[in-house]
Amino acid sequence: MQKRTDYNGVTYFYSEGLYPVRHGFSTRLGGLSKTPHTATLNTGFYRGDKDIIVQKNIERFCEAIAVDPHTLVVMPQIHSTEVRVVDRTMGGHGIYTPPTFECDALVTDSAGTALGVRIADCVPILLADPGAKVIAAVHAGWRGTVGDIVGKTVKKMCYLGACAEDIRAAIGPHISMANYEVGEEVARAVLDVVGEKALTLRHLRPAAEEGKFLCGLGAVNETLLLRAGLLPEHIDVCTLCTYENADLFYSHRRMGEKRGTMTAVIAI
């Protein structure tokens, strides 16, 4: 179950299923951004805030979840299925030092490392095998989802010593099926990755307009995590919609390019 909490004015969500691993899903509340479209906890650069404001917002969120921001690694996301293994020597990458690579999932077994992905409707997925001390952070838009980025991430975690049956997953706030209309291309890709026998109305259903469909990105990723070997009881799915809850979240589909960005962070 995912719960809302506040620390020093910063509002975020966390998953009981990942306890005691430090982690959190930020909201738009508790930061220093002043412009209407980024107010107030924008954690994304190039959104209209000065870099120092974004850094301070990241630091405020990290303080709330007891993570040292100088251990945090983030990267430019490109809606790919690229999974990158990083270590503690890369702490501060993409925050205090310029990014040197692009990908959409990070994995580490290096103690003293935190991983982050930025979101504004796409699906943030935090993964941890507490016993093996292997963690991952995944950004899954529709391209990453239909490319099974979560399955690729689980395989990379297992390569580092994790066991799929011991991995806990938290799927954070993301756009709901009711607000995520897609065309036939995306619908076909979802059908291909889920499979006709496994497909349900939680994954895909016809929209009001002919040739359009409603897609449940969270449900698709949940199915792919199960296929990767995770146990059902180890997957925690947040049902909060980033599109509907304008007071809590930035949303690309609702706001367009003129918006802020949330961040999901996990640390060992």
Side-chain angles (χ1 to χ4, degrees), residues 199-219:
L199 192 74
T200 72
L201 291 176
R202 293 179 62 242
H203 304 115
L204 205 63
R205 65 179 62 184
E209 183 181 344
E210 186 176 354
K212 298 292 185 179
F213 300 84
L214 299 177
C215 177
L217 283 180

Side-chain angles (χ1 to χ4, degrees), residues 102-113:
E102 299 172 325
C103 66
D104 286 271
L106 296 170
V107 180
T108 193
D109 62 350
S110 180
T113 307

Side-chain angles (χ1 to χ4, degrees), residues 64-76:
I65 60 175
V67 169
D68 181 351
H70 292 88
T71 68
L72 177 59
V73 182
V74 296
M75 68 299 184

Side-chain angles (χ1 to χ4, degrees), residues 20-75:
V21 179
R22 288 168 294 146
H23 71 283
F25 301 93
S26 78
T27 67
R28 65 180 299 172
L29 303 179
L32 303 173
S33 302
K34 301 297 184 183
T35 61
H37 65 280
T38 62
T40 59
L41 191 65
N42 169 46
T43 56
F45 295 99
Y46 315 115
R47 291 290 168 189
D49 290 324
K50 293 180 179 179
D51 288 358
I52 188 63
I53 295 296
V54 177
Q55 289 169 345
K56 292 296 183 182
N57 284 343
I58 293 170
E59 289 167 358
R60 287 174 69 87
F61 174 50
C62 284
E63 180 186 8
I65 60 175
V67 169
D68 181 351
H70 292 88
T71 68
L72 177 59
V73 182
V74 296
M75 68 299 184

Side-chain angles (χ1 to χ4, degrees), residues 9-168:
V10 174
T11 299
Y12 68 95
F13 288 82
Y14 70 94
S15 170
E16 292 181 316
L18 286 180
Y19 181 82
V21 179
R22 288 168 294 146
H23 71 283
F25 301 93
S26 78
T27 67
R28 65 180 299 172
L29 303 179
L32 303 173
S33 302
K34 301 297 184 183
T35 61
H37 65 280
T38 62
T40 59
L41 191 65
N42 169 46
T43 56
F45 295 99
Y46 315 115
R47 291 290 168 189
D49 290 324
K50 293 180 179 179
D51 288 358
I52 188 63
I53 295 296
V54 177
Q55 289 169 345
K56 292 296 183 182
N57 284 343
I58 293 170
E59 289 167 358
R60 287 174 69 87
F61 174 50
C62 284
E63 180 186 8
I65 60 175
V67 169
D68 181 351
H70 292 88
T71 68
L72 177 59
V73 182
V74 296
M75 68 299 184
Q77 295 158 188
I78 53 175
H79 293 274
S80 69
T81 59
E82 183 71 22
V83 183
R84 184 81 173 238
V85 177
V86 299
D87 60 37
R88 63 184 302 170
T89 65
M90 300 187 70
H93 178 276
I95 303 170
Y96 303 108
T97 59
T100 57
F101 62 89
E102 299 172 325
C103 66
D104 286 271
L106 296 170
V107 180
T108 193
D109 62 350
S110 180
T113 307
L115 310 175
V117 290
R118 295 189 175 103
I119 57 273
D121 279 342
C122 293
V123 185
I125 305 165
L126 301 179
L127 303 161
D129 181 335
K133 293 182 170 56
V134 180
I135 60 171
V138 181
H139 162 261
W142 77 261
R143 289 182 178 85
T145 297
V146 301
D148 194 16
I149 190 171
V150 288
K152 292 177 171 65
T153 303
V154 169
K155 286 182 180 178
K156 192 76 74 172
M157 292 178 71
C158 292
Y159 178 79
L160 294 180
C163 175
E165 292 185 352
D166 295 328
I167 293 175
R168 272 67 170 168

Side-chain angles (χ1 to χ4, degrees), residues 245-267:
N245 294 277
D247 58 327
L248 275 177
F249 305 113
Y250 307 109
S251 166
H252 180 77
R253 186 154 286 208
R254 185 183 72 246
M255 304 172 71
E257 289 292 340
K258 199 172 182 180
R259 57 163 175 79
T261 304
M262 288 91 64
T263 298
V265 171
I266 189 167

